[in-house]
Amino acid sequence: MTSLIEFQIGPNPPPRLDKALGRDVPEDAALSRSRLAKLIAEGAVSVDGVVVTDPRHRISEGATVVVTVAAAEESHIGGEDIPLDVVFEDDDLIVVNKPAGMVVHPAPGTPGGTLVNALIHYCGDSLSGVGGLKRPGIVHRIDKETSGLLVAAKSDRAHHHLADQFAAHTVERRYLAVCYGVPDANDPRLRGIKGTSFEPGNILKIQTFLGRHKTDRQRQAVSFSGGRHAVTRVRIVEPLGNPVAAALVECWLETGRTHQIRVHLAHCGHSLIGDPVYGGRRKLSAKTFGEAGCAAATGFSRQALHAATLGFEHPVSGEVLQFAAEVPADMRELLRELGSKG
């Protein structure tokens, strides 16, 4: 089945067909610029009755455009009936609180059981199609063993606008983490680490490049000569221990790179408790935390990291949305054993 979208080009159009369509296509068509580009290339766009496949075709005010859009095809990814903690949902997007242990997107090593499989089943026919397929639009990811908030698009239009916000670094993402040591401005060691500085309010700023580790392709590594620019800020929420030897911290991202918080905090000597990749062999002292606290930290089976806050502009209404997800039970238990008062 196909649908026909007919409209006229408004005054003072951009000279190129693709840009004019991006400006004037009806909002309710829910077609992104990338989707329109594909439709032009496929011969699905006509101007004044003539099919045009050149995106640079010059177009004039008042021209009648018809776009033929095929119904979204079923994705090759199958839906799976996996419980979801849905925080918010409307016709354009869905926000979920992902549990630790769930992969976001299918990959060769994890073909099923992912968040995408769960979303395809849960959303069903409410997925209007992203790129011509009935699938959710994934605009960001969090690691398998990281819990917390994630937004996915249900339409092509929402996918495009959300992706733009992530690319522009305007999305608010705040994480809660439990780390070894306390990243305090009074620690002279921290001030001597390349890429670190402190901002007012005892906020640690970590600014480096991140890229693939030279010998371990599963890891990321800090660099100062290549890779992708990455900025993380860290604030102490609660020092832990007597004397203090760990901390609950809040981290927020100016950029969003693979393993960014985990790599940056490890670079500063404050790796996350439970992190099997970047945590090293650090242990807490029984004199400081007691046997139960040390056992809780040693036995914590994932990085102690939770995507607690997510804020962005709704891709259709423009309303600023913000969501929060409570720290999961395993991290609450860890904090309790480490003497947290909150």
Side-chain angles (χ1 to χ4, degrees), residues 80-160:
E80 297 180 31
D81 187 4
I82 302 170
L84 285 174
D85 180 3
V86 177
V87 177
F88 175 85
E89 180 184 11
D90 65 11
D91 290 341
D92 296 286
L93 57 88
I94 184 169
V95 177
V96 298
N97 182 17
K98 184 188 83 68
M102 175 181 275
V103 173
V104 172
H105 199 282
T110 50
T114 72
L115 179 64
V116 168
N117 295 110
L119 287 172
I120 288 175
H121 174 84
Y122 175 86
C123 295
D125 290 337
S126 69
L127 291 172
S128 65
V130 173
L133 293 175
K134 280 191 175 182
R135 60 181 178 89
I138 302 298
V139 290
H140 69 125
R141 305 187 190 196
I142 54 180
D143 297 336
K144 175 184 177 181
E145 298 300 344
T146 298
S147 56
L149 295 169
L150 185 143
V151 59
K154 296 171 68 176
S155 69
D156 204 55
R157 173 181 55 182
H159 185 246
H160 170 74

Side-chain angles (χ1 to χ4, degrees), residues 145-213:
E145 298 300 344
T146 298
S147 56
L149 295 169
L150 185 143
V151 59
K154 296 171 68 176
S155 69
D156 204 55
R157 173 181 55 182
H159 185 246
H160 170 74
H161 284 286
L162 286 170
D164 279 352
Q165 291 182 61
F166 276 93
H169 309 307
T170 59
V171 177
E172 181 184 357
R173 284 173 289 172
R174 292 183 180 250
Y175 293 72
L176 290 172
V178 187
C179 67
Y180 291 100
V182 184
D184 194 293
N186 294 318
D187 183 355
R189 180 193 62 82
L190 272 177
R191 294 186 177 274
I193 296 174
K194 188 175 182 180
T196 66
S197 60
F198 278 89
E199 298 179 334
N202 199 17
I203 294 172
L204 171 63
K205 180 181 179 182
I206 310 164
Q207 183 169 313
T208 73
F209 292 95
L210 292 180
R212 292 281 187 187
H213 193 279

Side-chain angles (χ1 to χ4, degrees), residues 275-320:
D275 193 331
V277 179
Y278 305 101
R281 298 181 179 180
R282 295 183 66 168
K283 292 184 178 180
L284 297 176
S285 168
K287 292 182 180 180
T288 301
F289 292 100
E291 295 295 340
C294 290
T298 302
F300 200 74
S301 60
R302 67 177 182 97
Q303 62 266 9
L305 184 62
H306 175 66
T309 303
L310 178 65
F312 54 89
E313 183 180 287
H314 192 281
V316 178
S317 70
E319 179 185 0
V320 176

Side-chain angles (χ1 to χ4, degrees), residues 318-340:
E319 179 185 0
V320 176
L321 303 176
Q322 188 171 63
F323 305 97
E326 184 182 45
V327 171
D330 62 345
M331 277 183 64
R332 292 201 304 271
E333 177 64 16
L334 172 66
L335 287 165
R336 188 183 70 80
E337 293 292 351
L338 295 180
S340 171

